[in-house]
Amino acid sequence: MLDDLFSTMRQSIIDGAPDMASTLAQQAVASGIAPIDAINRGYVPGMHEVGEQFAKGQMFLPDMMASAEAMRAAMAVLDPELKKLGEERPMAGTVVLGTTKGDIHEIGKILVGTLLSAHGFRVHDLGVDVAGDKFAAKALELNADIVGVSALLTTTMRNQKGVIEALEKAGLRSQVKVMVGGAPVTRRWAEEIGADGYAKDAISAVELARELMQKKSPAVLAQT
Ligand code: HCB
């Protein structure tokens, strides 16, 4: 029964059907299904399928855009539900989040931000196509604990290193932890560019952020 619902959610993304994606998300909320399960078991597998079909030339850019629209419609319903979970938690840390320069993929980054908020982090999302110096300026302004950098293209991954360099240049590197993610990003890449950690999905990003905070200020995290 649940599997049928998740499978229909997945299909709504493949079909690029925002109304259907939104209705299914509302049904999930009404039936008490955890929003994160709907995302991870329903909608995200649909995005992965779209990516595979695009790579094989079976889907094209407008299809991918329609799928992104459907994902956004589902997230519009699920986002507030996830954020409610974070409202009563003590502040776990401040995260500045963004997608690297040259890259406009935002869905995964938004999801990471939502889950971090749901776990008590104060999140500032810089959006997409963000240059390293903007990450550094916002980290300085907010006295951020963590900078999270997303990249979905092999061509924009290298700009994650640019963010680390910008933090170094601004004299902030010793006080700001950097976590990286995005479909082509690996743990190995994170190590290569000197990031403090890599997260494969939003749940791991929360775990990683908590680990990084533990290293920075164990006392704060113990209360969350
Ligand atoms: Co886009 N695209 N795309 N795309 N796109 C990918 C990424 C490809 C892999 C598809 C493919 O070929 N198989 C491919 C990249 C190939 C490569 O370089 N290796 C690709 C391409 C080629 C392109 C264009 C160049 C296509 C073109 O114009 N010819 C173009 C690039 C534009 C640009 O950025 N300059 C393009 C455009 C688009 C859109 C606009 C149509 C749309 C994005 C819409 C939007 O975001 N508003 C889009 C989409 C939707 C995709 C796919 C299908 C889905 C991405 C997605 O949302 N995934 C994607 C295929 C794929 O990734 N498998 C395809 C779902 C989220 C939940 O996963 O991996 O983004 P995620 O995030 C995870 C995870 O990585 C981690 O947690 C997230 C949540 O679980 N994470 C972090 C992410 N960031 C993190 C940061 C942290 O600190 C920690 C963890």
Side-chain angles (χ1 to χ4, degrees):
M1 188 66 184
L2 251 189
D3 284 346
D4 286 349
L5 177 64
F6 291 144
S7 160
T8 321
M9 286 170 168
R10 175 179 168 276
Q11 196 59 44
S12 71
I13 298 297
I14 297 168
D15 294 344
D19 290 348
M20 176 59 87
S22 170
T23 303
L24 293 167
Q26 286 163 30
Q27 274 175 25
V29 171
S31 342
I33 293 166
I36 192 64
D37 284 345
I39 292 167
N40 280 344
R41 295 173 63 188
Y43 299 109
V44 168
M47 290 310 276
H48 287 158
E49 177 64 30
V50 170
E52 276 166 32
Q53 291 198 21
F54 179 79
K56 287 187 207 150
Q58 292 164 352
M59 269 195 171
F60 303 97
L61 196 55
D63 305 311
M64 214 154 57
M65 288 169 84
S67 296
E69 208 45 60
M71 184 77 190
R72 264 202 294 266
M75 286 301 292
V77 176
L78 299 172
D79 233 57
E81 298 301 317
L82 280 166
K83 282 187 176 143
K84 274 184 206 162
L85 302 171
E87 277 165 12
E88 282 151 27
R89 292 180 184 240
M91 230 273 279
T94 300
V95 183
V96 169
L97 208 56
T99 303
T100 52
K101 181 131 199 70
D103 197 325
I104 60 165
H105 295 86
E106 64 180 352
I107 293 166
K109 166 190 62 70
I110 291 173
L111 196 47
V112 168
T114 300
L115 270 219
L116 285 169
S117 302
H119 286 81
F121 285 88
R122 176 166 71 126
V123 177
H124 183 92
D125 189 339
L126 288 167
V128 296
D129 189 19
V130 184
D133 54 354
K134 287 208 176 131
F135 278 94
K138 192 50 81 177
L140 178 65
E141 181 192 327
L142 300 182
N143 191 19
D145 300 294
I146 299 172
V147 162
V149 194
S150 187
L152 266 285
L153 301 171
T154 40
T155 48
T156 58
M157 272 166 71
R158 71 176 76 107
N159 297 334
Q160 291 181 320
K161 188 165 194 274
V163 175
I164 295 174
E165 287 165 355
L167 288 169
E168 278 163 3
K169 206 170 149 201
L172 295 170
R173 187 64 186 99
S174 59
Q175 67 208 60
V176 180
K177 302 283 181 193
V178 177
M179 65 176 187
V180 292
V185 178
T186 60
R187 192 172 301 283
R188 196 165 161 196
W189 170 251
E191 283 166 10
E192 203 177 312
I193 62 172
D196 298 294
Y198 154 78
K200 70 171 180 1
D201 56 32
I203 293 175
S204 329
V206 172
E207 283 163 11
L208 174 61
R210 289 176 65 84
E211 273 170 35
L212 295 175
M213 286 307 297
Q214 188 75 49
K215 286 180 190 155
K216 275 199 76 180
S217 29
V220 174
L221 202 67
Q223 300 161 20
T224 66

